[in-house]
Amino acid sequence: MEEVRNQQVIFKDYVNGFPKESDMSLTTSATVPLQLPQGSNGVLLKNLYLSCDPYMRGRMTKTEGSYVASFTPGSPITGYGVAKVVESGHSSLKKGDLVWGFTGWQEYSIITAPETLFKIQHTDVPLSYYTGILGMPGMTAYYGFYEIGAPKKGEYVFVSAASGAVGQLVGQFAKLTGCYVVGTAGTKEKVELLKTKFGFDEAFNYKEEPNLDATLKRYFPEGIDIYFENVGGKMLEAVLLNMRVNGRISVCGMISQYNLNQEEGVRNLSSIIMKRLLVKGFIVTDHYNLYPKYIEMVIPLIKEGKICYIEDVVEGLESAPKALVGIFSGKNVGKQVVVVARE
Amino acid sequence: MEEVRNQQVIFKDYVNGFPKESDMSLTTSATVPLQLPQGSNGVLLKNLYLSCDPYMRGRMTKTEGSYVASFTPGSPITGYGVAKVVESGHSSLKKGDLVWGFTGWQEYSIITAPETLFKIQHTDVPLSYYTGILGMPGMTAYYGFYEIGAPKKGEYVFVSAASGAVGQLVGQFAKLTGCYVVGTAGTKEKVELLKTKFGFDEAFNYKEEPNLDATLKRYFPEGIDIYFENVGGKMLEAVLLNMRVNGRISVCGMISQYNLNQEEGVRNLSSIIMKRLLVKGFIVTDHYNLYPKYIEMVIPLIKEGKICYIEDVVEGLESAPKALVGIFSGKNVGKQVVVVARE
């Protein structure tokens, strides 16, 4: 029986304000046998790629009744990842299978409910994509844009956090639908990416715009039909003034608010009435039944080069805390991935 | 040919903050012949009942691109009313017909687009009801509650401005659907009405509640499935914290914001994500195609005494400015109606 040490990223304690690297620590367990406990019907995973996602900030706060449990102080961070099955006590998976789903920030994890994992069927694409375009963020962009946004050709689409794991896909889906799409991001480099790499019609750096209402009026003289909301706060306030009648706001995230002790107030909500807006929040895990349909759509698009995906990849579990903290100040360019092992 | 003087309520000029009686003036025209201009295909109406509605505040401000045009300074106020046809140049209406729809705040009006008027079919109910339960506010309650709220038996419903023209109906529709319903209003008298007359399960005076979040938690320990939004601002902010997963907010109005120069900011919008909320604004005039279906439902309910409707009736055009101004500080108890003439 092989024995291993299991390196882990431990969540130290609940966080106030912006998370810091020091809110996590790296530990290595004593040597443990690389096997499932006797009689387990779980699976033992070797983790390959881990995903850094904005929703994880919510898990760093002690909350009750949230849609996802808080992290447990003293235990490893948990989140989405790609992994290889080392040993399986469950009929749906066998040794050597590749999966994506909820796992731990460590080299090896035992998953006691393997039915929550997705077995990876397509391996002729980068495996790390299953933390992004082929995983939770991909499904998020798909559901939020197509199912809530209900886009029609020629409509005007605005995407915030547009170069992120979700936003870059929303923009490309919008172009494939024949929409006019403008994105916003927080650096010059990202703005360039939006225009040159992802095919957004226009893009701007919100940090350089003193009057977001005026900026939006410049980019959308006819107004916005679909706003894909990733940031909340002042951007939402300005967007509300620029929505068109019967517009849709697909509310995916509000990252600008996650590190505040109290949310900012948002004005201009009366636009919801005047413009008959639909504002719809969603949690993608409610809609995983659509995953096969999404994969069927997106795999050919990737293979034919009709859609691209940019990742910001760091190597090693020891780089994970910095990578996770970085997404809350927009340090990542594209989907933030941590490589634990490549196979 | 009969000749008349036409008393009118004139809108003097655009309004800042709360409207005042002095923003309107009463005038009486010179004697005019009581007839349509030669060749007109409009109708000449004798106005009977006029409706005071919160949306009229928006028309007192000079705005562009609003869903309803601003009032014209120097011209009569316009709004919903019930009237009798004095002379018709239009094939769909004849002398003596009763109608409801958009008319002027004056004794006699010429309507050049009579196809916007609804011909009254049921006259064995109070005619003034066509400014309320059988008119625009009734359709508003119907569409906003049934079509957007999509209520199910046993769900928890909260209504703000609950004793008003729309709210009192939403509460009764909710009870007829088998929901648990709580209303809020701004006086003890109104709170009593909600419980004793309209059958709300509970009601409270928001002016006596220092912590609306705590108040809502007391009345909705299980949370709110449907919020019928008439007020906006701090109430919405507290409601967002108390919505249940998959809750619906039917956004009908935000009267608390209409007289402010700048809207209040509303916090807690991240609940829209966490709780997968649907927030949908609407303008009832988009949905008048459902009016026959609504009438078919509500007329029997009225006749069988299964639904009641309370009006706050003032007599005479000269009382109209005070009545209109009063609704913005909650002076009305029930639907605010102005009687111009009874037949």
Side-chain angles (χ1 to χ4, degrees), chain A residues 308-323:
Chain A
C308 69
Y309 199 65
I310 290 199
E311 297 176 319
D312 194 329
V313 179
V314 300
E315 299 284 333
L317 265 181
E318 64 278 12
S319 309
K322 186 176 177 186

Side-chain angles (χ1 to χ4, degrees), chain A residues 10-85:
Chain A
I10 302 294
F11 176 65
K12 282 157 72 177
D13 205 354
Y14 300 116
V15 170
N16 240 314
F18 277 85
K20 305 175 297 298
E21 285 183 61
S22 60
D23 292 321
M24 291 162 271
S25 64
L26 217 71
T27 67
T28 301
S29 73
T31 305
V32 289
L34 193 62
Q35 63 180 24
L36 283 169
Q38 190 127 31
S40 166
N41 52 8
V43 290
L44 174 62
L45 298 182
K46 181 181 185 191
N47 293 310
L48 304 180
Y49 299 95
L50 297 176
S51 179
C52 298
D53 297 296
Y55 81 90
M56 295 169 82
R57 176 63 188 82
R59 306 190 63 199
M60 297 179 194
T61 307
K62 189 174 173 63
T63 51
E64 280 160 39
S66 177
Y67 71 102
V68 58
S70 299
F71 291 131
T72 306
S75 292
I77 298 274
T78 56
Y80 283 100
V82 174
K84 180 182 258 182
V85 176

Side-chain angles (χ1 to χ4, degrees), chain A residues 135-312:
Chain A
M136 182 275 284
M139 263 304 293
T140 300
Y142 175 72
Y143 185 83
F145 180 66
Y146 288 107
E147 297 289 324
I148 296 177
K152 289 186 283 290
K153 189 177 167 178
E155 286 194 317
Y156 299 94
V157 177
F158 180 53
V159 187
S160 53
S163 72
V166 175
Q168 57 176 294
L169 292 174
V170 174
Q172 294 180 83
F173 293 159
K175 286 314 300 173
L176 288 169
T177 311
C179 298
Y180 175 87
V181 58
V182 178
T184 183
T187 69
K188 197 172 176 177
E189 177 191 8
K190 292 179 186 179
V191 167
E192 276 309 297
L193 265 184
L194 293 178
K195 291 193 280 192
T196 58
K197 185 86 182 168
F198 301 129
F200 284 66
D201 294 287
E202 293 286 351
F204 64 89
N205 180 351
Y206 66 90
K207 291 179 181 167
E208 288 177 355
E209 300 293 333
N211 181 338
L212 289 171
D213 176 32
T215 303
L216 290 172
K217 284 191 168 45
R218 205 162 68 233
Y219 286 106
F220 294 100
E222 306 288 327
I224 299 167
D225 292 296
I226 299 174
Y227 174 46
F228 197 99
E229 167 67 299
N230 285 315
V231 302
K234 293 300 167 207
M235 185 63 81
L236 177 56
E237 187 166 297
V239 165
L240 284 163
L241 292 176
N242 288 282
M243 292 298 292
R244 301 182 88 188
V245 166
N246 295 321
R248 289 84 71 196
I249 300 183
S250 185
V251 190
C252 171
M254 294 191 174
I255 195 171
S256 75
Q257 306 297 299
Y258 295 169
N259 299 297
L260 307 177
N261 286 323
Q262 186 171 47
E263 281 185 24
E264 289 177 283
V266 172
R267 285 184 286 254
N268 306 329
L269 293 179
S270 66
S271 290
I272 295 173
I273 309 169
M274 307 309 171
K275 295 169 178 172
R276 299 85 153 155
L277 302 183
L278 170 79
V279 183
K280 182 73 181 79
F282 69 104
I283 302 286
V284 68
T285 51
D286 296 347
H287 308 288
Y288 278 160
N289 61 309
L290 297 176
Y291 182 68
K293 191 178 157 198
Y294 169 60
I295 285 294
E296 198 176 304
M297 178 194 93
V298 80
I299 288 275
L301 291 174
I302 295 172
K303 291 189 181 169
E304 294 160 19
K306 290 188 179 151
I307 206 159
C308 69
Y309 199 65
I310 290 199
E311 297 176 319
D312 194 329

